[in-house]
Amino acid sequence: MKRSGDFIFLLIGLLLVWQGLHWLAGDIALTSPAQTFAHLGKLLATARFWEHVTETARAFSFAVLISLIGGVGLGALLGINRTSGTVSEPILIALYSLPKVTLYPLVLLCFGLGISAKVAFGAMHGLIPVAIFTMKAIMQIKPVFWRTAHAMRLTPRQMAMTVALPAVLPEVMSGARLGFSLTLLGVLIGEMFASQRGLGFMITAAMGLGDIATIMAVAVFLSIFAVGSNALLLMVDRAAPR
Amino acid sequence: MITREGWIRFGVVAALVAAFEAACRFGFIPRTVVIAPTEMVVSLWRLIESGEYNDDILSTLRNVLASSLLAVGLGFMTGVLIHALPRLRAAIEPLLASYYAIPTFMFYPVFIVVFGVGDRAIIAIAVLLSIVAMITSTLTGLDRIPRVLRKTARIYRMNLPARALLIDLPAAAPYLFTGIKLSFAYAFIGVIASEFILSGAGIGYSIAYTYNNFNNRNMYGLMLLVILVATIANTALDMIDRRLQTRLRR
């Protein structure tokens, strides 16, 4: 109880800091929390806003599916063999810390303008961390587990379901959480550069108009969504039987 | 000393680049989409030789350096402060854990309005992106200082500055270095991405500019530059980091 109380205090503190910054920077630079939430309320009532949300959600769900399935698949493929794991790990880490925005023109030239470029860009951001986490999880399964499974004469299917899967699940879940957030970021950045629809486009359009209220409202909307789904995934992760 | 895995890794990368080169040369990939890797190298060489983009390159590197230094310094101080206040820490930790879920770039336009288009807005967003990695690393580092070292410090009757400098800092150093490594990587991403979205100078800006002008040759040269600089810097930091981590395990 005390902890959740502290958390509420922290949120109030953050809102106060925001309000303070608003007083410091003025109306044009930064809208106050009250104004932002009021504007967000107005936006939520319009059909146009929901069209943008649907567009982003569509691209995001494709991208997340590709990131998760592709990432787990690639990680499993590389992690199953010790040598392929050690060989590919630094390559994957180098790809992960690359500023992928740089490659945006390349993605556009390959996929053209539109939803496929957004999906590709989102998947580029999300797939690699999922693959890294999955690969490391598989490589770090204790050898004694395999020996036990052999001693019990488990079939490969049983081995996968009862030994490998439970052993890697926590790591894969944290990888999935990271992949989820990064895919969202990738899709949004993709929309900011080359799109006519979606929340990222809304922000770029508002940026051109100097419409700070809309920028802040969309940013707050996205932050609440991102933190909320992250908390949800964390809860699923904690509730999963070990 | 290169291990067997190192050679295989080198071979895999070389084979991929060679396959890419062949695909471009034999026309499987049209020249309007991607130019061949060797052409990229030639283009990059010409760019550097002509000095056409030197100001942009320097401006980006300067911003990356400034924002990683700021993020490391401020992040370290914030980390120490949060570590000293357990109640604040308990409240703030869930926020730190989900911080990277927030698309920070969405706030870049706000910084542009506050600071104007230029270096300060870019540095602000890069610091915002990279500071949390440093804060969490500082917290982990301070948590992992062995209790016995603190006791030793008390036996030697060290005062607080001496203990911090001679005991705490060296003991937490490997974790702090992980923070520095991550901060640098995130700062690099932050600077390039901000330059891409809206700015008047820098490598990111130049890539966007050459893209809009269909200047594929220069664009791929600059892209190669970013990839090389990022990969070399991150790999070097990663190697030092690994060495420190192994020493920790000993």
Side-chain angles (χ1 to χ4, degrees):
Chain A
M1 231 16 246
K2 199 180 131 200
R3 283 194 62 172
S4 60
D6 279 354
F7 187 67
I8 290 167
F9 271 128
L10 185 74
L11 280 185
I12 295 172
L14 282 178
L15 285 177
L16 283 178
V17 170
W18 182 357
Q19 183 71 41
L21 285 176
H22 161 69
W23 280 326
L24 219 68
D27 257 342
I28 309 159
L30 187 64
T31 49
S32 73
Q35 284 167 323
T36 306
F37 283 108
H39 191 74
L40 181 60
K42 245 189 282 169
L43 280 180
L44 288 176
T46 60
R48 262 196 88 84
F49 180 75
W50 289 105
E51 275 169 33
H52 287 305
V53 173
T54 327
E55 181 67 20
T56 303
R58 208 153 65 97
F60 176 61
S61 39
F62 281 130
V64 144
L65 272 182
I66 296 175
S67 296
L68 292 186
I69 298 173
V72 170
L74 183 69
L77 211 66
L78 292 172
I80 218 100
N81 180 305
R82 189 126 219 118
T83 311
S84 71
T86 352
V87 167
S88 52
E89 197 192 328
I91 301 178
L92 287 178
I93 287 179
L95 284 177
Y96 171 61
S97 42
L98 204 70
K100 275 166 282 286
V101 209
T102 322
L103 303 177
Y104 198 65
L106 178 69
V107 174
L108 278 188
L109 287 169
C110 290
F111 292 92
L113 294 169
I115 188 160
S116 47
K118 284 194 256 180
V119 173
F121 204 56
M124 257 167 73
H125 277 78
L127 195 139
I128 293 167
V130 179
I132 293 178
F133 273 77
T134 312
M135 191 179 86
K136 281 198 153 175
I138 293 180
M139 282 168 74
Q140 277 160 4
I141 297 179
K142 286 187 184 133
V144 66
F145 287 1
W146 295 125
R147 285 204 293 272
T148 317
H150 276 297
M152 291 175 165
R153 301 191 179 205
L154 296 185
T155 60
R157 196 189 137 79
Q158 283 173 320
M159 228 188 259
M161 292 309 287
T162 57
V163 179
L165 199 64
V168 299
L169 207 59
E171 285 283 302
V172 174
M173 274 303 288
S174 4
R177 256 184 329 121
L178 190 62
F180 186 90
S181 333
L182 285 173
T183 309
L184 179 64
L185 186 65
V187 169
L188 287 171
I189 292 182
E191 286 181 341
M192 286 180 87
F193 293 127
S195 182
Q196 299 298 317
R197 263 168 282 160
L199 293 174
F201 167 72
M202 243 182 115
I203 287 191
T204 336
M207 207 160 99
L209 296 170
D211 181 2
I212 289 295
T214 304
I215 296 174
M216 285 303 287
V218 175
V220 165
F221 177 79
L222 284 167
S223 303
I224 292 173
F225 169 74
V227 173
S229 32
N230 195 56
L232 208 68
L233 285 173
L234 208 61
M235 262 161 60
V236 172
D237 191 15
R238 293 216 174 114
R242 290 284 142 74
Chain B
M1 187 48 209
I2 299 175
T3 54
R4 189 176 74 98
E5 277 86 4
W7 283 111
I8 301 178
R9 192 176 304 133
F10 180 75
V12 168
V13 174
L16 283 178
V17 174
F20 190 33
E21 175 85 27
C24 293
R25 292 287 175 191
F26 293 120
F28 293 117
I29 303 174
R31 279 188 56 82
T32 44
V33 175
V34 188
I35 62 172
T38 42
E39 284 180 90
M40 291 183 201
V41 176
V42 173
S43 156
L44 173 59
W45 179 250
R46 280 210 195 113
L47 289 181
I48 292 175
E49 211 180 26
S50 73
E52 193 183 341
Y53 291 98
N54 278 1
D55 288 344
D56 290 309
I57 295 171
L58 284 178
S59 143
T60 298
L61 292 182
R62 210 170 41 226
N63 284 346
V64 171
L65 213 62
S67 28
S68 5
L69 285 178
L70 269 175
V72 167
L74 290 175
F76 177 68
M77 286 195 279
T78 321
V80 171
L81 191 75
I82 294 176
H83 188 81
L85 304 167
R87 234 181 119 180
L88 175 70
R89 182 178 176 177
I92 218 166
E93 224 147 36
L95 271 191
L96 290 182
S98 53
Y99 181 79
Y100 281 105
I102 299 173
T104 324
F105 284 110
M106 302 298 112
F107 293 99
Y108 181 53
V110 178
F111 284 104
I112 290 182
V113 180
V114 176
F115 291 122
V117 177
D119 290 343
R120 285 198 296 170
I122 293 175
I123 292 176
I125 202 81
V127 168
L128 204 62
L129 198 67
S130 48
I131 193 169
V132 172
M134 191 64 204
I135 296 177
T136 32
S137 300
T138 309
L139 287 176
T140 329
L142 293 177
D143 280 346
R144 300 278 166 84
I145 297 172
R147 286 257 291 282
V148 60
L149 291 183
R150 289 266 165 91
K151 283 182 189 154
T152 318
R154 211 174 307 150
I155 290 170
Y156 279 106
R157 302 191 178 212
M158 286 182 169
N159 51 6
L160 187 64
R163 198 195 78 189
L165 208 66
L166 296 174
I167 304 272
D168 292 357
L169 203 60
Y175 298 98
L176 296 180
F177 192 81
T178 308
I180 294 175
K181 178 188 84 172
L182 290 175
S183 296
F184 177 81
Y186 284 123
F188 205 102
I189 294 175
V191 168
I192 299 268
S194 320
E195 285 174 350
F196 237 91
I197 296 172
L198 187 63
S199 124
I203 305 180
Y205 164 76
S206 306
I207 293 178
Y209 186 81
T210 47
Y211 169 70
N212 289 332
N213 289 293
F214 303 106
N215 189 346
N216 268 14
R217 185 167 289 279
N218 284 359
M219 182 179 86
Y220 280 115
L222 288 166
M223 259 189 211
L224 184 66
L225 177 69
V226 173
I227 293 175
L228 285 179
V229 171
T231 310
I232 292 172
N234 288 329
T235 312
L237 288 173
D238 198 47
M239 266 164 67
I240 303 175
D241 189 30
R242 264 158 214 262
R243 202 157 289 175
L244 286 173
Q245 298 292 341
T246 10
R247 208 167 63 185
L248 207 62
R249 240 175 269 140
R250 212 157 42 200

